[in-house]
């Protein structure tokens, strides 16, 4: 099963070469309830065996604990993997729900040193600005990030949840390898301008939550009834109340296409995202998150599925019918500023 490694692609013009699918590591120690630590570590290894090379974390996931969790794996395979982490979201230890966005130079320098220390590495391969503080000119933030490249602490720069105009302003200061944002059959707002800017500038797109935080797999319907009290999906409008039932009904065409391909609904959702690379003319490397080896095998299998024009037409209307926003507060997303 492990002999079929996924293909590779250059992530943005001059960016790192990575497997066409990465791994979001957040859920291994944060946000989705209790974790089987041994299975999560085995999942990292299995991902590497299958050709996954882009491993994504952030300093705010568990207030640094997620970086510490993946650090031994990263160090053990330093020459084989591309390490991505992020800064910008500062959490209050006494109130984790309280978030402060910081993009100022002093904070960026403080954040990178913390990440380097927790990860136990000398250089971060891809360093993202996690969210945008509109009170700090993006040129200043990217300028500070560019200093880290010059100093050898960071190889490539990335941005998350920025608008098309913000991406252009950033690219004018320093090359941006990757733009990370939510993109899936349920979340297509970045197609209103962000994707076009990325294609124009030669910036790769790294879709997070390409499986709709598990919803597109059919793993759950009502977050507030089926998921644990510490699962953050209980706070997201799409997965609770009347919205959940409305959105669950939208999975019908996903299941139908999956049956036609002998695949799972999750694989069809991922195949749709992967195929956007050809449709949009840019590198697209989704980072579905999982902590189970069986899911890694399923997810990477999606890279070998080719959806037909008929399949795509059947899936096309879904996003326009989704009930509820991606977040309760959309002001920190690109869609909230477009």
């Amino acid at each position: 099963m492990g002999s079929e490694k996924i293909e590779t692609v250059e992530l943005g013009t001059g960016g790192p070469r990575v497997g066409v699918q990465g791994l979001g590591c957040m859920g291994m120690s944060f946000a989705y309830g209790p974790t089987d630590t041994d299975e999560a570590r085995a999942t990292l290894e299995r991902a590497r065996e299958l050709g996954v090379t882009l491993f994504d974390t952030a300093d705010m996931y568990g207030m640094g604990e997620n970086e510490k969790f993946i650090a031994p794996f990263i160090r053990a395979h330093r020459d084989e993997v591309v390490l991505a982490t992020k800064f910008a979201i500062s959490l209050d230890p006494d109130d984790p729900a309280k978030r402060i966005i910081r993009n100022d130079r002093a904070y960026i320098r403080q954040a990178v040193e913390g990440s380097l220390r927790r990860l136990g590495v000398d250089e971060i391969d891809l360093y993202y600005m996690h969210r945008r503080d509109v009170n700090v000119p993006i040129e200043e933030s990217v300028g500070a990030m560019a200093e880290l490249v010059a100093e050898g602490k960071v190889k490539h720069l990335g941005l998350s949840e920025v608008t098309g105009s913000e991406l252009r302003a950033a690219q004018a200061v320093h090359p941006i390898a990757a733009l990370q944002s939510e993109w899936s059959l349920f979340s297509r707002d970045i197609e209103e301008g962000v994707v076009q800017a990325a294609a124009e500038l030669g910036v790769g797109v790294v879709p997070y939550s390409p499986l709709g935080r598990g919803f597109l797999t059919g793993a759950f319907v009502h977050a507030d009834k089926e998921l644990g009290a510490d699962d953050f999906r209980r706070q997201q409008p799409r997965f609770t109340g009347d919205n959940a039932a409305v959105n669950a009904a939208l999975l019908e065409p996903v299941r139908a296409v999956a049956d036609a391909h002998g695949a799972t609904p999750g694989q069809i959702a991922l195949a749709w995202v992967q195929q956007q690379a050809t449709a949009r003319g840019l590198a697209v490397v989704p980072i579905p998150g999982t902590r189970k080896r069986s899911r890694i095998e399923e997810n990477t299998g999606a890279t070998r599925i080719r959806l037909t024009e008929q399949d795509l037409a059947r899936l096309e209307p879904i996003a326009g019918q989704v009930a509820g926003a991606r977040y309760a507060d959309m002001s920190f997303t690109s869609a909230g500023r477009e």
Side-chain angles (χ1 to χ4, degrees):
M1 204 169 195
S3 60
E4 284 194 276
K5 285 194 172 186
I6 61 175
E7 296 177 359
T8 63
V9 67
E10 185 180 63
L11 185 57
T13 304
R17 190 153 198 92
V18 298
V20 294
Q21 187 181 108
L23 177 61
C25 299
M26 178 182 80
M28 291 186 167
S29 64
F30 176 70
Y32 291 114
T35 297
D36 179 334
T37 302
D38 291 339
E39 177 63 16
R41 294 197 185 286
T43 299
L44 290 168
E45 293 290 350
R46 185 67 178 132
R48 182 184 62 84
E49 291 171 0
L50 291 168
V52 173
T53 58
L54 177 63
F55 293 85
D56 184 274
T57 183
D59 61 3
M60 64 83 63
Y61 299 160
M63 298 185 186
E65 291 304 312
N66 196 248
E67 288 181 326
K68 292 179 183 178
F69 180 84
I70 70 168
F73 168 78
I74 296 296
R75 291 196 299 269
H77 305 290
R78 194 67 192 98
D79 295 336
E80 303 172 61
V81 303
V82 174
L83 165 65
T85 191
K86 317 177 200 71
F87 75 89
I89 303 178
S90 177
L91 299 180
D92 183 344
D94 298 322
D95 182 10
K98 182 180 179 182
R99 299 182 176 189
I100 300 171
I101 309 300
R102 290 190 60 181
N103 293 172
D104 57 280
R105 183 178 182 278
Y107 182 78
I108 292 171
R109 300 197 72 84
Q110 171 189 323
V112 75
E113 295 299 340
S115 287
L116 289 169
R117 183 177 65 254
R118 286 185 294 270
L119 289 158
V121 298
D122 297 324
E123 188 174 43
I124 294 165
D125 299 314
L126 178 56
Y127 199 43
Y128 288 101
M129 187 173 80
H130 204 165
R131 290 293 186 271
R132 171 97 166 88
D133 176 3
V134 296
N135 297 309
V136 179
I138 197 163
E139 293 86 352
E140 289 185 19
S141 301
V142 175
M145 295 168 72
E147 292 175 8
L148 305 180
V149 176
E151 294 168 15
K153 294 176 179 177
V154 170
K155 283 185 182 176
H156 304 282
L157 302 185
L159 301 171
S160 180
E161 291 284 2
V162 296
T163 66
S165 60
E166 289 168 345
L167 180 58
R168 289 188 178 91
Q171 181 79 1
V173 176
H174 188 279
I176 303 298
L179 179 285
Q180 185 173 140
S181 192
E182 188 166 356
W183 198 9
S184 73
L185 282 170
F186 265 32
S187 302
R188 298 180 58 178
D189 50 72
I190 69 167
E191 295 174 25
E192 299 301 315
V194 179
V195 170
Q196 292 85 341
E200 171 194 319
L201 299 169
V203 176
V205 175
V206 177
Y208 71 81
S209 297
L211 292 171
R213 305 191 188 280
F215 194 86
L216 286 164
T217 70
F220 71 97
V221 175
H222 296 279
D224 43 352
K225 298 176 182 177
E226 300 173 49
L227 304 180
D230 57 350
D231 194 306
F232 92 115
R233 289 171 289 186
R234 290 167 60 104
Q235 304 165 23
Q236 294 188 295
R238 290 183 172 175
F239 310 137
T240 57
D242 294 340
N243 289 346
V246 170
N247 294 335
L250 298 178
L251 298 182
E252 166 68 27
V254 183
R255 293 193 183 95
V257 174
D259 288 344
H261 284 269
T264 66
Q267 286 180 315
I268 297 306
L270 285 173
W272 180 88
V273 176
Q274 302 273 181
Q275 244 167 276
Q276 296 306 305
T278 302
R280 309 279 175 173
L282 77 173
V284 177
V285 182
I287 48 169
T290 186
R291 44 197 178 182
K292 294 181 180 179
R293 283 169 286 182
S294 61
R295 291 299 186 193
I296 278 288
E297 291 162 358
E298 177 183 337
N299 292 349
T300 54
T303 66
R304 292 181 283 277
I305 295 173
R306 292 295 174 265
L307 301 177
T308 67
E309 290 300 318
Q310 185 178 12
D311 294 333
L312 295 171
R314 198 166 188 179
L315 300 171
E316 182 65 24
I318 293 175
Q321 301 173 56
V322 173
R326 295 199 271 132
Y327 295 97
D329 180 0
M330 288 287 287
S331 64
F332 298 117
T333 69
S334 59
R337 297 191 305 279
E338 283 283 16

